[in-house]
């Protein structure tokens, strides 16, 4: 039998792991583990809490098998013992060096909001108007409109921007309200640190005393059942006190691998989707971001780029590249320069022009109606829905003005198109079946 300091296998594993993880991860997750007993058959490890055990197994199960005794099943033969809850005077790490601040103190409190992410810098068009209004509604009446507000959508479409905009608005207009904005990863880290510092109670108190809790990227809570429970309890406590929660995610609640209880909680309020901005909005974003950097992009060129890049984060990358080139070469922006500087970005953008006909065909196939029905005036439920979906997808994929789109749909007005976009946006948030149909139609358009 060996004692802690004599466990060579564990020391060798620590040396190996230390080279492969960050100093903070090492300090938070690995150094608190103590060896209680080490034999040829098994190693007994004392962990401060279940999360450290999970972390070790989730991240190092295979590596551990290289160093530690293994069971017949091939898994590392570890017996875990959760440490007694009595407070320790100071957290020491295995190497006897001074503890990192994160080892003893919970992460700094208060929202860290990006100063540029505000409502007035968020460009709205028909595809993201609904989600922006929902965010503004929540900011104006925290805890009294939709609770929670759940914002989902693809990466780079402005979820974090909207979340921080809510934070700014509340801070500026309701100074007494406590706001906390945090990413899910940082939250998990806080829980771990406070469990180690035995300050979990204070952490819970702190979160439960916030009037507005903004949680970014909840998808990182998947496959972490213990943390999930903590988060769910916090949500329930806050909602019961009419305190506002806003959550962002890359998927709608029902598609996240989270418990039914958690999904139900998240669906309780309003679920809203951030969509790809329409062409005019993309152009406005592009020109605005370029102007902020002292560069004027003529409308013709801005449309040329906007038709070929539709993700906002990529648009920002495009502006950066163009600005750098113009500054170095001291030239004007034109299509040729854009082709040259953005070549690869334009290639990975969706192919050139999608036509309304392509959209109509794709939607007609998925919704099992005729193209002529969609263009016509029939008002049965199925046809009306397919028509609205076609308008919604045309708005996102076809580089035409609202007036022109209205004309393609049998001479309808631009407000009919806008109304259709809003209706479908709301429906897909609440109706999983419809969301899938819309996505299938979108894939067909992209493949056609
Ligand atoms: P997400 O959180 O959805 O991945 P972000 O909020 O980080 O996306 O947005 C990516 C970048 O694009 C940010 O710099 C953000 O300011 C910008 N952005 C996204 N949507 C818009 C918009 N509608 N208007 C202005 N900027 C936007
Ligand atoms: Mg984000």
């Amino acid at each position: 039998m060996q004692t802690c300091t004599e466990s060579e296998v564990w020391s060798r594993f620590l040396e190996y792991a230390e080279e492969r993880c960050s100093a903070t991860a090492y300090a938070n997750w690995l150094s608190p583990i103590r060896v209680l007993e080490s034999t040829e058959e098994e190693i007994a490890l004392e962990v401060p809490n279940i999360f450290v055990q999970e972390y070790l197994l989730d991240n190092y199960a295979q590596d551990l098998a290289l160093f530690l005794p293994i069971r017949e099943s091939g898994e590392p033969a570890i017996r875990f013992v959760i440490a007694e809850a009595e407070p320790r005077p100071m957290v020491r790490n295995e190497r006897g060096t001074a503890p990192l601040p994160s080892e003893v103190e919970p992460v700094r409190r208060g929202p860290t909001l990006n100063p540029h992410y505000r409502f007035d810098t968020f460009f709205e068009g028909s595809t993201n108007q609904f989600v922006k209004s929902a965010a503004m509604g929540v900011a104006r009446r925290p805890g009294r409109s939709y609770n929670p507000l759940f914002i989902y959508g693809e990466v780079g479409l402005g979820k974090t921007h909207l979340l921080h905009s809510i934070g700014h608005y509340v801070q500026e207009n309701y100074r007494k309200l406590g706001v906390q904005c945090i990413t899910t990863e940082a939250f998990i880290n806080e829980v771990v640190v406070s469990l180690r510092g035995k300050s979990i109670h204070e952490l819970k108190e702190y979160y439960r005393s916030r009037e507005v809790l903004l949680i970014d990227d909840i998808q990182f809570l998947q496959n972490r059942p213990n943390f999930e429970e903590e988060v769910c309890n916090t949500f329930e406590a806050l909602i019961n006190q009419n305190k506002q929660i806003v959550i962002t995610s890359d998927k709608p609640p029902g598609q996240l691998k989270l418990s039914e209880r958690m999904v139900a909680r998240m669906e309780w309020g309003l679920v809203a989707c951030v969509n790809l901005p329409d062409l005019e909005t993309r152009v406005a974003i592009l020109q605005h971001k370029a102007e902020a950097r002292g560069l004027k992009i003529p409308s013709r060129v801005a449309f040329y780029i906007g038709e070929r890049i539709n993700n906002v984060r990529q648009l920002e990358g495009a502006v950066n590249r163009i600005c750098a080139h113009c500054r170095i070469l001291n030239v004007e922006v034109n299509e040729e320069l854009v082709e040259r500087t953005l070549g690869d970005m334009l290639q990975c953008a969706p192919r050139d022009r999608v036509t309304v006909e392509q959209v109509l065909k794709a939607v007609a196939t998925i919704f099992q109606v005729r193209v002529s029905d969609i263009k016509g005036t029939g008002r049965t439920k199925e046809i009306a829905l397919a028509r609205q979906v076609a308008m919604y997808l045309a708005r996102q994929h076809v580089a035409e003005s609202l007036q022109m789109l209205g004309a393609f749909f049998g001479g309808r007005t631009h407000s009919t198109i806008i109304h259709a976009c809003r209706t479908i946006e709301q429906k897909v948030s609440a109706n999983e079946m419809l969301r899938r149909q819309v996505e299938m139609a979108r894939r067909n358009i992209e493949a056609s």
Side-chain angles (χ1 to χ4, degrees), residues 117 121-123 155-161 289 312-313 316:
Y117 291 0
T121 55
F122 187 87
F123 281 76
V155 65
L157 295 186
K159 299 182 293 296
T160 302
H161 190 132
K289 302 238 174 212
V312 186
R313 194 167 278 159
E316 286 185 336

Side-chain angles (χ1 to χ4, degrees), residues 117 154-161 163-164 183 216-217 219 248-249 313:
Y117 291 0
E154 280 173 33
V155 65
L157 295 186
K159 299 182 293 296
T160 302
H161 190 132
L163 195 73
H164 288 205
T183 65
D216 209 0
D217 289 327
Q219 68 271 15
T248 74
S249 161
R313 194 167 278 159

